[in-house]
């Protein structure tokens, strides 16, 4: 985890909505200096004190001015992943952002571009994939795998050895039984209790969770 990039603490933030506010706050707790936001709304606004300095497609020009660190603070899983990969291709470093109040085991792995927000817990031998979100107060137990671009929503709990697939949304306050496998692009509705495998692209809800339709894909 990059927690001390030297003297260069300047951070470009992609996304100026509600999630952007939370990520900026988390970054500041680690000493990062968010200096500008790129947002689809363009110029003329700010996000908790950080000016909006352009649109998403202005990243290359800002790289050429010397900015090197960036975080993608967009809630939509697929969009966040795609923009993150484009930033890396341009040469940006997308460090993981871990709020200082989060508890992350030294034996866990938090990959590039992932964010772990306030009061979340990530236990030993868990792996958080690139551009994933472990949101406020979520618990990722030992040996869990959170896929690239997935979102583990606030106050959700994953028992040990749970697998959350790429770009899957694990909803607010949901619980997964230890060892559960949830495949890519699934949506787990808020407050669900997942006790069986969930196939790719499926929407499940309830306690116990049952199939209700298609996920967001």
């Amino acid at each position: 985890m990059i927690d001390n990039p030297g003297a260069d603490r300047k951070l470009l933030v992609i996304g100026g909505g509600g999630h952007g506010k939370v990520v900026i706050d988390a970054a500041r707790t680690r000493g990062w200096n968010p200096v500008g936001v790129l947002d689809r709304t363009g110029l003329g606004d700010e996000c908790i004190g950080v000016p909006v300095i352009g649109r998403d497609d202005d990243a290359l020009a800002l790289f050429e001015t010397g900015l090197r660190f960036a975080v993608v603070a967009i809630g939509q899983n697929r969009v966040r992943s795609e923009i993150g990969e484009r930033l890396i291709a341009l040469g940006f470093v997308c460090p993981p952002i871990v709020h200082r109040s989060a508890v992350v085991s030294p034996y866990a792995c938090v990959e590039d571009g992932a964010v772990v927000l306030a009061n979340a817990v990530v236990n030993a031998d868990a792996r958080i994939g690139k551009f994933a979100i472990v949101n406020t107060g979520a618990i990722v137990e030992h040996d869990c795998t959170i896929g690239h671009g997935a979102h583990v929503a606030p106050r959700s709990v994953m028992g040990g050895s749970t697998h959350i697939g790429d770009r899957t949304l694990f909803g607010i306050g949901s619980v997964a039984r230890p060892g559960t496998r949830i495949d890519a692009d699934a949506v787990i509705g808020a407050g669900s209790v997942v006790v069986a495998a969930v196939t790719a692209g499926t929407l499940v809800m309830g306690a116990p969770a049952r199939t209700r339709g298609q996920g967001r894909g």
Side-chain angles (χ1 to χ4, degrees):
M1 180 171 65
I2 299 174
D3 195 37
N4 181 13
D8 186 0
R9 307 293 294 183
K10 295 178 181 178
L11 185 68
L12 179 66
V13 180
I14 314 299
H19 184 55
K21 296 175 184 179
V22 177
V23 171
I24 288 169
D25 185 46
R28 285 171 170 160
T29 73
R30 290 290 185 175
W32 290 97
N33 177 23
V35 294
V37 172
L38 298 184
D39 191 79
R40 61 187 177 185
T41 61
L43 298 170
D45 205 349
E46 65 173 32
C47 185
I48 59 169
V50 183
V52 177
I53 58 176
R55 300 177 64 87
D56 298 352
D57 53 7
D58 292 327
L60 176 59
L62 290 167
F63 182 81
E64 291 173 347
T65 70
L67 276 174
R68 289 294 178 266
F69 296 100
V71 61
V72 187
I74 293 173
Q76 299 98 320
N77 290 348
R78 187 175 295 276
V79 174
R80 183 175 63 257
S81 297
E82 291 174 352
I83 291 176
E85 294 297 344
R86 290 204 298 269
L87 289 171
I88 290 173
L90 289 173
F92 281 96
V93 175
C94 294
I97 301 295
V98 178
H99 194 285
R100 188 164 291 280
S101 70
V103 178
V104 178
S105 168
Y107 301 102
C109 175
V110 181
E111 296 188 16
D112 291 345
V115 298
V116 181
L117 298 177
N119 298 313
V121 176
V122 180
N123 276 331
D125 284 335
R127 177 175 291 273
I128 311 301
K130 290 195 300 182
F131 304 107
I133 301 169
V134 179
N135 219 316
T136 308
I139 297 175
V140 180
E141 264 298 348
H142 63 86
D143 300 291
C144 286
T145 302
I146 309 300
H148 299 332
H151 181 181
V152 174
R155 295 295 181 185
S156 55
V157 179
M158 278 123 283
S161 301
T162 295
H163 171 84
I164 305 290
D166 295 350
R167 299 173 302 279
T168 282
L169 171 62
F170 193 79
I172 291 174
S174 294
V175 176
R177 185 172 67 179
T180 302
R181 182 176 182 87
I182 301 170
D183 286 335
D185 299 305
V187 175
I188 311 303
S192 296
V193 178
V194 184
V195 297
V198 177
T199 57
T202 301
L203 166 65
V204 302
M205 300 176 66
R210 300 184 187 279
T211 301
R212 305 294 185 185
Q214 296 296 309
R216 296 175 182 175

